[in-house]
Amino acid sequence: MVTQKAISLKIDTKLLQDLDYEVSIGWNKRNTLINQAIALYLELMDTRRRVKCYGNEEDKKDEANKWLRKRFPEIAEW
């Protein structure tokens, strides 16, 4: 079963240099990092939309912190 599709894109040269540097210091391939970045971006945008739905500031903070605890636990408010 095919789970990937080839695409073509234009990427800023500085971003590509930074991406290639990240690939060189880690164990992930460029394609893996791009897929992870897209997934993270989409998750963040979904969280931002959910936060906008809340009227209560405390509920907004709770929703944002739920995402932070999952993705960046070092700075999340506990």
Side-chain angles (χ1 to χ4, degrees), residues 8-9 14-15 21 26 29 38-39 44 49 53 62 70 74-75:
S8 175
L9 68 124
K14 176 67 171 121
L15 286 175
Y21 176 72
K29 295 181 179 180
I38 292 169
L44 174 61
R49 283 188 288 272
C53 292
D62 288 344
K70 179 180 177 185
E74 297 86 6
I75 67 163

Side-chain angles (χ1 to χ4, degrees), residues 7-13 15-16:
I7 64 168
S8 175
L9 68 124
K10 293 182 180 181
I11 187 170
D12 182 81
T13 55
L15 286 175
L16 183 57

Side-chain angles (χ1 to χ4, degrees), residues 32-45:
T32 301
L33 292 179
I34 291 170
N35 279 295
Q36 289 173 346
I38 292 169
L40 183 63
Y41 174 80
L42 294 173
E43 193 179 292
L44 174 61
M45 292 297 102

Side-chain angles (χ1 to χ4, degrees), residues 23-77:
V23 168
S24 74
I25 63 172
W27 52 271
N28 286 318
K29 295 181 179 180
R30 186 191 290 170
N31 186 64
T32 301
L33 292 179
I34 291 170
N35 279 295
Q36 289 173 346
I38 292 169
L40 183 63
Y41 174 80
L42 294 173
E43 193 179 292
L44 174 61
M45 292 297 102
D46 190 46
T47 300
R48 291 183 71 165
R49 283 188 288 272
R50 280 196 311 278
V51 165
K52 288 179 183 179
C53 292
Y54 291 110
N56 180 325
E57 287 298 315
E58 198 60 37
D59 291 338
K60 289 180 180 194
K61 287 180 182 179
D62 288 344
E63 187 67 33
N65 272 304
K66 186 168 72 174
W67 186 81
L68 280 173
R69 279 191 297 276
K70 179 180 177 185
R71 291 298 184 177
F72 201 3
E74 297 86 6
I75 67 163
E77 295 179 11

